[in-house]
């Protein structure tokens, strides 16, 4: 198992400091010399860590003044009744979605099991980007049973909201049944969509949403930009 490079550990430590409120938006970070002394490394290592954070949009350098916090990682709760737009708005940021594709195809084995379908049954698939203040924070795929929700692709095209689209299809409310989280390194495609450097850490979330009769209506997969999002667990 490969060790995490020191510069990446420094970047993750500073990102955690920002997420936990030790540095607020607009605050200046310690100087390269101070960070080098703190972590017992040379300034080149610190500079690479700060450069990584700048690529993530977390900090920005000002010539002759230092490096300043550009944005705090977005808090995103994981719970039974989480709604994307409401959650991002509650974090003080502007939510947004970008549609990448809307398609219909046969369900794979994982999707069929999650949605209680027969292998090969048709599903409608919504691929897109989740945005916070215009910055991509998640690459997602939502999969819906086609026979039960025949018009959902049209509703998604119109609303770009899973909650509103489900309501148009007669699903007035739904809750999260299960969530599974794993951490990995981003693939080349994920880096392209999320505007991440090669090998950046990402969090994979897979979850099932069901209607009030406990019938699955959505199987969702999301890849979160690890340094831009703080996932929190709640019971709501």
């Amino acid at each position: 198992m490969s060790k995490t490079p020191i510069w990446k550990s420094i970047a993750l430590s500073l990102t955690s400091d920002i997420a936990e409120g030790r540095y607020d938006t607009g605050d200046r970070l310690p100087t390269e010399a101070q960070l080098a002394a703190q972590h017992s490394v040379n300034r080149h290592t610190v500079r690479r860590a700060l450069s990584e954070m700048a690529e993530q949009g977390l900090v920005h350098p000002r010539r002759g003044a230092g490096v300043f916090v550009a944005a705090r990682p977005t808090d995103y709760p994981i719970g039974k009744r989480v709604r994307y737009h409401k959650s991002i708005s509650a974090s003080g940021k502007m939510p947004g979605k970008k549609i990448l594709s809307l398609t219909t195809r046969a369900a794979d084995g994982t999707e069929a099991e999650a949605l209680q379908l027969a292998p090969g049954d048709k599903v409608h698939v919504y691929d897109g980007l989740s945005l916070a203040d215009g910055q991509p924070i998640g690459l997602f795929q939502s999969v819906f049973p086609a026979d039960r929700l025949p018009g959902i692709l049209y509703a998604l095209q119109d609303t770009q909201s899973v909650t509103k689209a489900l309501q148009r299809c007669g699903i007035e409310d739904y809750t999260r049944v299960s969530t599974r989280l794993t951490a990995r390194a981003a693939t080349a495609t994920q880096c392209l969509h999320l505007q991440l450097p090669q090998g950046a850490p990402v969090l994979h979330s897979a979850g099932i949403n069901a209607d009030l009769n406990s019938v699955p209506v959505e199987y969702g997969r999301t890849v979160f930009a690890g340094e831009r999002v703080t996932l929190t667990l709640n019971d709501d």
Side-chain angles (χ1 to χ4, degrees):
M1 183 176 180
S2 60
K3 292 178 61 178
T4 301
I6 294 176
W7 64 266
K8 187 175 286 292
S9 294
I10 295 171
L12 291 172
S13 176
L14 287 171
T15 299
S16 177
D17 286 342
I18 295 170
E20 294 175 13
R22 297 187 182 97
Y23 301 107
D24 205 348
T25 301
D27 285 351
R28 187 176 71 173
L29 294 180
T31 66
E32 288 183 2
Q34 289 170 329
L35 289 169
Q38 177 184 341
H39 293 278
S40 300
V41 297
N42 58 45
R43 291 176 64 170
H44 175 76
T45 301
V46 170
R47 195 170 297 126
R48 182 167 183 186
L50 294 174
S51 176
E52 163 102 347
M53 294 175 69
E55 288 186 27
Q56 298 287 329
L58 295 174
V59 301
H60 60 89
R62 297 180 190 169
R63 184 178 296 276
V67 177
F68 294 79
V69 177
R72 185 180 296 179
T74 301
D75 284 332
Y76 190 80
I78 300 289
K80 291 182 179 180
R81 302 186 61 79
V82 171
R83 302 295 184 259
Y84 175 76
H85 282 75
K86 183 178 180 180
S87 298
I88 299 302
S89 296
S91 73
K93 298 187 178 183
M94 179 69 69
K97 290 284 186 74
K98 179 181 178 182
I99 295 174
L100 297 179
S101 67
L102 296 168
T103 58
T104 301
R105 58 166 171 77
D108 64 27
T110 300
E111 294 162 351
E113 181 179 1
L115 294 172
Q116 298 178 9
L117 302 175
D121 279 0
K122 294 296 184 182
V123 289
H124 294 316
V125 184
Y126 171 25
D127 289 285
L129 279 173
S130 298
L131 310 172
D133 284 347
Q135 183 181 55
I137 62 170
L139 178 66
F140 68 86
Q141 181 179 84
S142 291
V143 182
F144 307 92
D147 285 347
R148 185 178 183 194
L149 303 170
I152 197 163
L153 293 187
Y154 299 102
L156 288 167
Q157 179 73 59
D158 189 30
T159 66
Q160 297 187 27
S161 165
V162 169
T163 299
K164 292 179 180 178
L166 285 172
Q167 288 174 345
R168 289 195 182 185
C169 295
I171 308 298
E172 290 300 322
D173 198 7
Y174 62 93
T175 57
R176 179 61 61 95
V177 175
S178 66
T179 301
R180 182 179 181 183
L181 299 173
T182 55
R184 302 175 190 169
T187 66
T189 300
Q190 291 162 358
C191 287
L192 177 65
H193 284 298
L194 293 172
Q195 300 172 17
L196 297 173
Q198 184 176 0
V202 291
L203 293 171
H204 287 244
S205 170
I208 302 170
N209 288 324
D211 65 17
L212 299 184
N213 293 315
S214 299
V215 178
V217 294
E218 178 194 10
Y219 175 62
R221 305 178 180 99
T222 302
V223 178
F224 289 102
E227 295 181 359
R228 295 183 194 149
V229 179
T230 300
L231 298 181
T232 60
L233 301 179
N234 61 44
D235 297 326
D236 297 332

